[in-house]
Amino acid sequence: MKRSKMNYRAWNHRCWLVSFMTREQVLDELKKSRNWSGLHVADNSCFHYRRRLMLRNLEGFCYTQDNNSSGYFVETYQIWKEELDWNESLIKQYVGREALWLHRRFLSMYLIKHMATHLLAVSCQSKPKASVDIDIDSLMDHELCLVHSCSTTIADANFEDFQAQAIHSAAYMLWLTKQIPEYQGIDIQEKLRAGVGDVTRMLKRSCPDRSSLWDYLVGYHSEP
């Protein structure tokens, strides 16, 4: 891969090898591949490899049913949260890179649907359900702030990368509105819809030649 920086076949082979790795090897690969990924943010193959590693680690938690399962979950959640924070720093540093936004979709989806589901199951036994809602609500607030900061940059810049950043962030916002589980209630959904409206208006002002595209995307993602 060092000789051919976008060698899809080599990355695909490494993804296949993940199935045979121990948890220690998976964690070690996550550490070693981080520097490479951070230097090749346009290469989706390296982020796909990281996603495969993270899923492998998540598989270990799903099959852990002993007394250490709660500790395993906390550690797995921490790995996911660190990846999400790192991804955000890359998005802000390398403007307009679609691979970074696609990676964020993966991280957000599993954090919302899988880890929140586990927290809900735990809360049914020992904690009030509101504790789960607060976690997801905080995550959505953070994502809205990120999208807003990445979208408004094109108001002061005409560079193509900044326009791409705004488009990718808007697409992420539209996608995010479909990912919130029904049990979370309507408050978060209403907050996301308001965010979509703000982003859409900003895109129409900055890229008026694509107004029909924004209307289509908003209408498509608003369908039940």
Side-chain angles (χ1 to χ4, degrees):
M1 290 180 292
K2 292 182 178 180
R3 295 181 179 179
S4 180
K5 296 180 179 179
M6 291 192 177
N7 192 332
Y8 170 78
R9 292 181 178 84
W11 282 113
N12 194 44
H13 182 65
R14 291 187 74 87
C15 288
W16 174 75
L17 291 173
V18 172
S19 301
F20 304 96
M21 292 182 185
T22 64
R23 185 166 188 262
E24 290 72 20
Q25 290 173 322
V26 167
L27 297 179
D28 186 56
E29 280 295 304
L30 278 172
K31 291 179 181 179
K32 290 194 299 185
S33 64
R34 178 165 171 156
N35 288 338
W36 174 275
S37 302
L39 293 173
H40 302 85
V41 294
D43 186 0
N44 188 54
S45 294
C46 60
F47 288 102
H48 178 70
Y49 176 61
R50 290 187 66 79
R51 291 193 285 272
R52 184 66 190 92
L53 290 168
M54 297 185 75
L55 286 176
R56 176 64 174 171
N57 184 55
L58 193 62
E59 289 172 5
F61 165 72
C62 294
Y63 290 109
T64 300
Q65 301 295 334
D66 55 23
N67 294 331
N68 296 324
S69 59
S70 59
Y72 195 123
F73 171 77
V74 171
E75 186 176 354
T76 300
Y77 171 80
Q78 187 61 33
I79 292 172
W80 227 269
K81 185 64 171 61
E82 289 176 358
E83 187 81 3
L84 202 63
D85 292 341
W86 176 61
N87 172 263
E88 180 177 344
S89 68
L90 292 178
I91 284 175
K92 293 178 177 179
Q93 182 178 359
Y94 300 100
V95 176
R97 299 298 184 266
E98 185 179 16
L100 297 176
W101 286 101
L102 293 176
H103 191 53
R104 194 166 192 83
R105 289 192 188 193
F106 163 82
L107 296 171
S108 299
M109 180 181 69
Y110 274 86
L111 196 61
I112 293 169
K113 291 191 173 181
H114 294 265
M115 296 194 175
T117 299
H118 171 75
L119 284 172
L120 179 61
V122 172
S123 68
C124 290
Q125 300 175 358
S126 58
K127 299 180 181 179
K129 181 177 179 296
S131 63
V132 180
D133 295 335
I134 293 173
D135 288 338
I136 297 298
D137 189 64
S138 298
L139 175 63
M140 292 302 102
D141 283 340
H142 185 83
E143 297 306 286
L144 283 169
C145 289
L146 173 63
V147 169
H148 180 73
S149 65
C150 292
S151 301
T152 54
T153 53
I154 65 171
D156 302 316
N158 294 320
F159 295 106
E160 185 175 332
D161 285 345
F162 286 96
Q163 290 189 350
Q165 181 85 321
I167 292 171
H168 295 324
S169 63
Y172 174 69
M173 170 64 74
L174 292 171
W175 170 86
L176 202 59
T177 60
K178 288 290 189 178
Q179 308 307 313
I180 304 300
E182 293 182 0
Y183 66 76
Q184 293 296 333
I186 63 174
D187 292 342
I188 298 178
Q189 289 286 358
E190 290 179 350
K191 188 181 299 184
L192 287 173
R193 290 193 197 96
V196 168
D198 293 339
V199 170
T200 303
R201 285 189 291 273
M202 184 277 303
L203 286 172
K204 285 185 176 181
R205 288 196 304 268
S206 304
C207 308
D209 56 317
R210 299 185 180 182
S211 294
S212 59
L213 175 60
W214 311 139
D215 289 334
Y216 169 77
L217 290 176
V218 172
Y220 173 79
H221 285 272
S222 299
E223 295 177 356

